[in-house]
Each structure stands twice: as C-alpha cells, then as structure tokens.
Amino acid sequence: MTLPDHTTVEATRALRTVVVSGAGTGMGRAVAERFLADGATVVALGRRAEPLHRLRDDHPTSDVQVVPADLTDPDAVLRVVEALDGRPVDVLVNNAGGVGGAPDPGLHGLLESYRRTVDQNLLSAMLLTEALWPSLARPGGRVVTICSIAAQRGGGGAYGAAKAGLVAWGAELAGRGGPDGITVNTVSPGYVQDTEFFSTQGRSRRHDALVAQTLLGRAGTPSDVAGAVHYLASADAGWVTGQVLSVNGGAVLGR
C-alpha cells in the first residue's frame, strides 16, 4: 500500500474534517481552535451546548458544526454519526472526560462513582471511536486520545485507572488501523491550568506543589496540549502510531 506523500497531505489539510469531543472548554477548545486556524471543518462535541455555541460564535468565519452529545450514551453517539452524514473523518480527537463526583455512602455509592468515571473517561472514547471508525480516512486518518499523567504515576482512583485503560486500548487500536494507514496515538498531559477541571479560576488548590514537580517551573496550558495533538494529526507524524506523547513539563520523565 502506498500512502500519500507529505506534499499531498499538506495540500489538502485545509479541507480536513476534524471531530473533537469535549470541545467547548479548556484543552478541547484549544485543540478545536488550532485546527480551525488551518481552515479545517471542526465538528465540536460536548455534553453542554452553550460552550459549543460560544466556540462557534467566537469564530464566525470558520466552519464549526456543533453537535451536543453525551458520549456515554450510545444513542447520542449514533446521532453524531448521523450529523456527519457520511462525510469522511480525517482527524478524531477524543478529549471528553471528567470525574465521577463524590460518591454516595457505602459500597454501592462507590461503585456508581467508579462507573461514572470509567464511562466518562474510557467508554466515551471507545464508543465514539468505534462508531466513527468506518468513516475515518483511509489512508491518512488520525485518532488522538487525551490521557493523563495519572495513567503513568497513579492518582485519582478510578480516574487514573480509566486513563490507563485508554493507553492499552490505543495500542490495540493502532494495530487495527495500521493496515489502512490510520495512526492512533495518545497525548498524556500533566498539570494543565486554565481548564474547568479544577475550579472556575482554572487552577488546582495544589497549584504551587504541582508546578514544583515540573522541570520547567510552570503549569501547562491548553495550547501546549493542542500543539501536541496538532503534530500527531499532521503529515509530519505519518510514521508515528501506537505511542504515548507526554506533555507534562518533565513532571514524569519518559522511559
């Protein structure tokens, strides 16, 4: 099989369709905006419609399609497929996630919290990718999934476990996509501020301690993560697949 050369892919980049989950805020929004700057069509997914509409309204000259969807619901995932109406998907960015919230008392409450966390962080990505897999461009399709430093060093209970599951699943998926020229990679961010994950101010209560763990002496930003995703979706990364790219300022060293 002969893959398109670098020039061919770059020439068609502006025509690409990019699906981004969790696109309304934080890292997802930064990823969406990075591809919009290329001239790509961005299909923005998220549980809440308002942040998605703000993204579209803030880029009135760009091609943004808003599809509100809870990706833990198979019927909502199928509505995403319907909204694409048979268009090829060049890039799929699995960014949606979250935490299950404080559990109700008792073992049953803990189990429900675990399930919510696994659903939001692992199963949502798996369901969306499976539904869109037949639509991915062949060759040249890109799947990039946002993981977490918690997958490498632990933390967050079920959250870290779910993120670690994304790594194992991504490795299997890369093998599945290889014969069709589809690459599958994972981006593993460290502490990234300016997101809703921590607080309305976008900072963790452990901000200073988390920054001190890095070698660069600063927190990450959504644009740091967007740059890594953009690279893995580019022609320059055409021979990169099945990998985990850590973006953590040196808080955890590669090995």
Side-chain angles (χ1 to χ4, degrees), residues 12 14 39 45 51 77 80 89 98 114 128 132 166 187 232 238 241 255:
T12 59
L45 313 180
V77 174
V80 174
V89 174
Y114 285 169
L128 180 62
L132 295 184
L166 289 173
V187 172
L232 290 172
T241 195
R255 54 187 180 273

PDB file of all heavy atoms in Angstrom, residues 12 14 39 45 51 77 80 89 98 114 128 132 166 187 232 238 241 255:
ATOM      1  N   THR A  12      -4.023  19.231   1.152  1.00  0.00           N
ATOM      2  CA  THR A  12      -5.448  19.022   1.412  1.00  0.00           C
ATOM      3  C   THR A  12      -5.811  19.289   2.868  1.00  0.00           C
ATOM      4  O   THR A  12      -6.949  19.102   3.254  1.00  0.00           O
ATOM      5  CB  THR A  12      -5.837  17.566   1.068  1.00  0.00           C
ATOM      6  OG1 THR A  12      -5.058  16.671   1.872  1.00  0.00           O
ATOM      7  CG2 THR A  12      -5.601  17.276  -0.390  1.00  0.00           C
ATOM      8  N   ALA A  14      -6.400  21.904   4.630  1.00  0.00           N
ATOM      9  CA  ALA A  14      -7.468  22.868   4.883  1.00  0.00           C
ATOM     10  C   ALA A  14      -8.845  22.278   4.636  1.00  0.00           C
ATOM     11  O   ALA A  14      -9.842  22.821   5.090  1.00  0.00           O
ATOM     12  CB  ALA A  14      -7.269  24.117   4.020  1.00  0.00           C
ATOM     13  N   GLY A  39      -7.975  26.100   8.746  1.00  0.00           N
ATOM     14  CA  GLY A  39      -9.068  26.136   7.778  1.00  0.00           C
ATOM     15  C   GLY A  39      -9.885  24.863   7.756  1.00  0.00           C
ATOM     16  O   GLY A  39     -10.720  24.675   6.862  1.00  0.00           O
ATOM     17  N   LEU A  45     -18.040  18.478  19.733  1.00  0.00           N
ATOM     18  CA  LEU A  45     -18.927  17.669  20.552  1.00  0.00           C
ATOM     19  C   LEU A  45     -18.763  18.028  22.024  1.00  0.00           C
ATOM     20  O   LEU A  45     -17.682  18.406  22.470  1.00  0.00           O
ATOM     21  CB  LEU A  45     -18.614  16.179  20.381  1.00  0.00           C
ATOM     22  CG  LEU A  45     -18.438  15.639  18.966  1.00  0.00           C
ATOM     23  CD1 LEU A  45     -18.122  14.145  19.010  1.00  0.00           C
ATOM     24  CD2 LEU A  45     -19.659  15.910  18.116  1.00  0.00           C
ATOM     25  N   PRO A  51     -21.261  26.075  25.774  1.00  0.00           N
ATOM     26  CA  PRO A  51     -19.856  26.304  25.436  1.00  0.00           C
ATOM     27  C   PRO A  51     -19.542  26.017  23.966  1.00  0.00           C
ATOM     28  O   PRO A  51     -18.690  26.685  23.360  1.00  0.00           O
ATOM     29  CB  PRO A  51     -19.104  25.334  26.359  1.00  0.00           C
ATOM     30  CG  PRO A  51     -20.032  25.075  27.486  1.00  0.00           C
ATOM     31  CD  PRO A  51     -21.394  25.109  26.881  1.00  0.00           C
ATOM     32  N   VAL A  77     -24.205   8.943  20.642  1.00  0.00           N
ATOM     33  CA  VAL A  77     -23.068   8.705  19.751  1.00  0.00           C
ATOM     34  C   VAL A  77     -23.555   8.453  18.328  1.00  0.00           C
ATOM     35  O   VAL A  77     -22.981   8.955  17.351  1.00  0.00           O
ATOM     36  CB  VAL A  77     -22.224   7.522  20.262  1.00  0.00           C
ATOM     37  CG1 VAL A  77     -21.123   7.164  19.262  1.00  0.00           C
ATOM     38  CG2 VAL A  77     -21.597   7.859  21.617  1.00  0.00           C
ATOM     39  N   VAL A  80     -24.238  11.568  16.519  1.00  0.00           N
ATOM     40  CA  VAL A  80     -23.027  12.195  15.969  1.00  0.00           C
ATOM     41  C   VAL A  80     -22.755  11.644  14.573  1.00  0.00           C
ATOM     42  O   VAL A  80     -22.452  12.392  13.637  1.00  0.00           O
ATOM     43  CB  VAL A  80     -21.813  11.957  16.896  1.00  0.00           C
ATOM     44  CG1 VAL A  80     -20.537  12.487  16.244  1.00  0.00           C
ATOM     45  CG2 VAL A  80     -22.033  12.619  18.253  1.00  0.00           C
ATOM     46  N   VAL A  89     -14.021  11.323   8.022  1.00  0.00           N
ATOM     47  CA  VAL A  89     -13.402  11.970   9.177  1.00  0.00           C
ATOM     48  C   VAL A  89     -11.894  11.832   9.041  1.00  0.00           C
ATOM     49  O   VAL A  89     -11.366  10.722   8.988  1.00  0.00           O
ATOM     50  CB  VAL A  89     -13.886  11.335  10.495  1.00  0.00           C
ATOM     51  CG1 VAL A  89     -13.126  11.919  11.688  1.00  0.00           C
ATOM     52  CG2 VAL A  89     -15.384  11.527  10.666  1.00  0.00           C
ATOM     53  N   GLY A  98     -13.809  13.526  32.594  1.00  0.00           N
ATOM     54  CA  GLY A  98     -14.303  14.150  33.803  1.00  0.00           C
ATOM     55  C   GLY A  98     -14.112  13.229  34.988  1.00  0.00           C
ATOM     56  O   GLY A  98     -13.470  12.182  34.886  1.00  0.00           O
ATOM     57  N   TYR A 114     -17.430   4.988  40.565  1.00  0.00           N
ATOM     58  CA  TYR A 114     -16.446   4.354  39.677  1.00  0.00           C
ATOM     59  C   TYR A 114     -17.002   4.217  38.265  1.00  0.00           C
ATOM     60  O   TYR A 114     -16.306   4.489  37.275  1.00  0.00           O
ATOM     61  CB  TYR A 114     -16.073   2.971  40.205  1.00  0.00           C
ATOM     62  CG  TYR A 114     -15.168   2.944  41.407  1.00  0.00           C
ATOM     63  CD1 TYR A 114     -14.959   1.744  42.100  1.00  0.00           C
ATOM     64  CD2 TYR A 114     -14.502   4.088  41.867  1.00  0.00           C
ATOM     65  CE1 TYR A 114     -14.129   1.703  43.214  1.00  0.00           C
ATOM     66  CE2 TYR A 114     -13.676   4.040  42.968  1.00  0.00           C
ATOM     67  CZ  TYR A 114     -13.491   2.845  43.639  1.00  0.00           C
ATOM     68  OH  TYR A 114     -12.674   2.785  44.732  1.00  0.00           O
ATOM     69  N   LEU A 128     -17.263   6.391  20.816  1.00  0.00           N
ATOM     70  CA  LEU A 128     -17.202   7.348  19.712  1.00  0.00           C
ATOM     71  C   LEU A 128     -16.268   6.846  18.618  1.00  0.00           C
ATOM     72  O   LEU A 128     -16.593   6.930  17.420  1.00  0.00           O
ATOM     73  CB  LEU A 128     -16.732   8.708  20.226  1.00  0.00           C
ATOM     74  CG  LEU A 128     -16.613   9.808  19.177  1.00  0.00           C
ATOM     75  CD1 LEU A 128     -17.966  10.113  18.551  1.00  0.00           C
ATOM     76  CD2 LEU A 128     -16.007  11.068  19.781  1.00  0.00           C
ATOM     77  N   LEU A 132     -17.256   5.911  14.701  1.00  0.00           N
ATOM     78  CA  LEU A 132     -16.701   6.682  13.591  1.00  0.00           C
ATOM     79  C   LEU A 132     -15.621   5.930  12.827  1.00  0.00           C
ATOM     80  O   LEU A 132     -15.151   6.428  11.793  1.00  0.00           O
ATOM     81  CB  LEU A 132     -16.127   8.005  14.116  1.00  0.00           C
ATOM     82  CG  LEU A 132     -17.136   8.992  14.703  1.00  0.00           C
ATOM     83  CD1 LEU A 132     -16.435  10.291  15.088  1.00  0.00           C
ATOM     84  CD2 LEU A 132     -18.270   9.274  13.726  1.00  0.00           C
ATOM     85  N   LEU A 166      -7.104   3.863  28.541  1.00  0.00           N
ATOM     86  CA  LEU A 166      -7.003   4.486  27.217  1.00  0.00           C
ATOM     87  C   LEU A 166      -5.690   4.144  26.534  1.00  0.00           C
ATOM     88  O   LEU A 166      -5.633   3.996  25.309  1.00  0.00           O
ATOM     89  CB  LEU A 166      -7.140   6.008  27.350  1.00  0.00           C
ATOM     90  CG  LEU A 166      -8.519   6.554  27.689  1.00  0.00           C
ATOM     91  CD1 LEU A 166      -8.442   8.051  27.953  1.00  0.00           C
ATOM     92  CD2 LEU A 166      -9.521   6.267  26.571  1.00  0.00           C
ATOM     93  N   VAL A 187      -2.039  11.400  23.857  1.00  0.00           N
ATOM     94  CA  VAL A 187      -1.343  12.519  24.487  1.00  0.00           C
ATOM     95  C   VAL A 187      -1.648  12.483  25.975  1.00  0.00           C
ATOM     96  O   VAL A 187      -2.810  12.408  26.372  1.00  0.00           O
ATOM     97  CB  VAL A 187      -1.781  13.868  23.878  1.00  0.00           C
ATOM     98  CG1 VAL A 187      -1.198  15.032  24.672  1.00  0.00           C
ATOM     99  CG2 VAL A 187      -1.349  13.949  22.418  1.00  0.00           C
ATOM    100  N   LEU A 232       0.554  15.296  16.058  1.00  0.00           N
ATOM    101  CA  LEU A 232       0.220  13.901  15.806  1.00  0.00           C
ATOM    102  C   LEU A 232      -0.799  13.745  14.682  1.00  0.00           C
ATOM    103  O   LEU A 232      -0.887  12.678  14.068  1.00  0.00           O
ATOM    104  CB  LEU A 232      -0.302  13.251  17.083  1.00  0.00           C
ATOM    105  CG  LEU A 232       0.741  13.039  18.176  1.00  0.00           C
ATOM    106  CD1 LEU A 232       0.080  12.577  19.468  1.00  0.00           C
ATOM    107  CD2 LEU A 232       1.817  12.038  17.732  1.00  0.00           C
ATOM    108  N   GLY A 238       3.227  11.033  10.167  1.00  0.00           N
ATOM    109  CA  GLY A 238       2.645   9.926   9.416  1.00  0.00           C
ATOM    110  C   GLY A 238       3.224   8.569   9.742  1.00  0.00           C
ATOM    111  O   GLY A 238       2.617   7.539   9.418  1.00  0.00           O
ATOM    112  N   THR A 241       2.762   5.966  15.362  1.00  0.00           N
ATOM    113  CA  THR A 241       1.498   5.355  15.770  1.00  0.00           C
ATOM    114  C   THR A 241       1.731   4.430  16.951  1.00  0.00           C
ATOM    115  O   THR A 241       2.836   3.921  17.163  1.00  0.00           O
ATOM    116  CB  THR A 241       0.834   4.601  14.599  1.00  0.00           C
ATOM    117  OG1 THR A 241      -0.533   4.321  14.919  1.00  0.00           O
ATOM    118  CG2 THR A 241       1.565   3.311  14.266  1.00  0.00           C
ATOM    119  N   ARG A 255      10.483   6.998  29.565  1.00  0.00           N
ATOM    120  CA  ARG A 255      11.371   5.849  29.689  1.00  0.00           C
ATOM    121  C   ARG A 255      10.826   4.709  28.829  1.00  0.00           C
ATOM    122  O   ARG A 255       9.713   4.743  28.384  1.00  0.00           O
ATOM    123  CB  ARG A 255      11.497   5.391  31.141  1.00  0.00           C
ATOM    124  CG  ARG A 255      10.159   5.109  31.843  1.00  0.00           C
ATOM    125  CD  ARG A 255      10.381   4.831  33.337  1.00  0.00           C
ATOM    126  NE  ARG A 255       9.143   4.563  34.026  1.00  0.00           N
ATOM    127  CZ  ARG A 255       8.363   5.503  34.542  1.00  0.00           C
ATOM    128  NH1 ARG A 255       8.728   6.772  34.440  1.00  0.00           N
ATOM    129  NH2 ARG A 255       7.243   5.191  35.159  1.00  0.00           N
TER     130      ARG A 255
END
